[in-house]
């Protein structure tokens, strides 16, 4: 799940009294129901301006952002289709959630009321595409806490815990970057697990620690953690052709 600030309410979104698997944040979704796709939203007439802006941002990211392009290529190389009109949905979300991945419908949700800038939209898509890639490649079971923690570790490591972002949040310094990058990843992954499952911070952290070593080392399909502000994403997209990650 992309960044959020508040914990979920229990029992929302069609789940039982104890678990809703994060559907609370997405009022347009209910478990087990295939939601309308990307372009369908244009014809609903509700929040049309936000919807159109979201659709334009998503289209730009898919065509221009190297991280997003590489992930889509990697999905297809694993035999998993990606069709924007089927697999991405712009929706209004609760709280400060920017987006999410719905494994029941195999769809990425971009929160049109929160992910208003192009940069945020691209970051959301890349983050959620990592989850979609793990669902495709590793058959990740998002009801399994260890699987959930693993994919959140990967998304946090690759997309969010850059040196500068970790510095800004007090999780790193020039002298201890490696250790504190790992701490940043653990914190963000544990928070993401807590947001979509009814467990406390200690339980979430324990699950993250249990799978951390293996999942932190898994950098597919990128091969390395991109440096913020560098040309690493463009280089990784070009290198992807050597590993079969091409259109």
């Amino acid at each position: 799940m992309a960044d959020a600030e508040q914990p979920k309410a229990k029992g929302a979104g069609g789940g039982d009294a104890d678990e809703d698997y994060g559907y609370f944040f997405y009022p347009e979704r209910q478990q087990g129901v295939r939601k309308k796709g990307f372009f369908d939203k244009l014809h609903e007439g509700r929040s049309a301006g936000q919807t159109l802006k979201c659709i334009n941002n998503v289209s730009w990211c898919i065509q221009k952002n190297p991280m997003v392009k590489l992930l889509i290529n990697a999905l297809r190389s694993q035999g998993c289709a990606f069709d924007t009109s089927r697999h991405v949905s712009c929706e209004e979300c609760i709280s400060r959630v920017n987006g999410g991945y719905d494994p029941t419908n195999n769809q990425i949700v971009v929160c049109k009321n929160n992910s208003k800038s192009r940069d945020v939209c691209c970051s959301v898509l890349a983050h959620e595409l990592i989850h979609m890639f793990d669902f495709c490649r590793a058959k990740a079971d998002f009801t399994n806490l260890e699987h959930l923690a693993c994919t959140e570790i990967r998304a946090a490591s690759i997309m969010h815990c850059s040196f500068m972002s970790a510095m800004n949040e007090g999780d790193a310094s020039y002298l201890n970057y490696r250790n504190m990058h790992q701490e940043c990843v653990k914190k963000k992954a544990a928070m993401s697990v807590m947001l979509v499952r009814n467990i406390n911070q200690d339980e979430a952290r324990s699950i993250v620690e249990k799978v951390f070593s293996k999942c932190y080392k898994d950098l597919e399909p990128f091969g390395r953690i991109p440096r913020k502000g560098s040309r690493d994403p463009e280089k990784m997209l070009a290198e992807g052709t050597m590993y079969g990650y091409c259109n």
Side-chain angles (χ1 to χ4, degrees):
M1 174 183 285
D3 291 346
E5 293 178 354
Q6 301 179 22
K8 67 180 179 63
K10 295 182 182 180
D16 59 30
D18 296 319
E19 293 283 9
D20 74 358
Y21 300 98
Y23 284 89
F24 164 75
F25 291 110
Y26 314 106
E28 295 184 35
R29 311 231 109 237
Q30 292 183 356
Q31 293 188 52
V33 178
R34 183 186 182 280
K35 304 309 293 180
K36 292 184 178 181
F38 191 55
F39 296 108
D40 298 327
K41 300 286 181 178
L42 277 177
H43 304 291
E44 294 184 348
R46 182 183 174 188
S47 305
Q50 285 185 340
T51 301
L52 182 58
K53 183 175 182 179
C54 177
I55 287 173
N56 287 337
N57 284 341
V58 168
S59 296
W60 189 93
C61 295
I62 287 172
Q63 294 173 23
K64 302 291 186 181
N65 184 274
M67 298 285 281
V68 172
K69 291 172 68 175
L70 176 55
L71 280 159
I72 291 172
N73 291 345
L75 275 168
R76 290 170 174 161
S77 77
Q78 295 291 320
C80 296
F82 182 86
D83 181 344
T84 307
S85 64
R86 165 62 183 88
H87 294 108
V88 182
S89 180
C90 290
E91 301 179 13
E92 191 160 341
C93 305
I94 290 175
S95 186
R96 290 300 305 163
V97 177
N98 289 329
Y101 174 62
D102 177 357
T104 302
N105 297 295
N106 193 26
Q107 282 185 322
I108 291 169
V109 178
V110 179
C111 297
K112 63 184 180 182
N113 55 319
N114 298 329
S115 301
K116 297 179 181 179
S117 76
R118 182 181 288 171
D119 286 347
V120 171
C121 181
C122 291
S123 178
V124 167
L125 281 172
H127 179 115
E128 307 306 338
L129 279 164
I130 290 172
H131 297 328
M132 185 178 281
F133 180 72
D134 288 347
F135 183 72
C136 167
R137 174 194 63 149
K139 305 297 185 272
D141 176 1
F142 285 76
T143 66
N144 182 308
L145 284 169
E146 291 184 14
H147 289 202
L148 176 62
C150 188
T151 191
E152 293 294 356
I153 288 166
R154 283 175 27 77
S157 175
I158 294 166
M159 291 306 305
H160 299 295
C161 288
S162 68
F163 176 72
M164 288 308 298
S165 65
M167 281 277 288
N168 291 338
E169 295 184 16
D171 290 330
S173 72
Y174 290 105
L175 300 178
N176 66 350
Y177 170 62
R178 180 177 178 81
N179 288 340
M180 298 315 292
H181 178 267
Q182 294 183 14
E183 181 60 24
C184 173
V185 172
K186 290 177 182 179
K187 284 173 62 176
K188 287 187 177 295
M191 178 60 69
S192 293
V193 171
M194 287 173 59
L195 285 166
V196 297
R197 299 299 294 273
N198 185 34
I199 60 174
N200 62 39
Q201 184 173 357
D202 289 341
E203 291 171 317
R205 184 63 183 242
S206 176
I207 294 161
V208 167
E209 292 283 0
K210 183 176 181 180
V211 300
F212 186 80
S213 179
K214 178 180 179 180
C215 301
Y216 182 72
K217 295 174 183 176
D218 183 0
L219 299 175
E220 285 296 313
F222 304 100
R224 61 183 180 276
I225 299 170
R227 296 167 296 175
K228 191 172 183 178
S230 73
R231 293 191 59 81
D232 283 350
E234 289 83 357
K235 292 178 181 177
M236 290 187 293
L237 177 62
E239 292 166 359
T241 59
M242 295 187 291
Y243 302 100
Y245 301 145
C246 55
N247 290 323

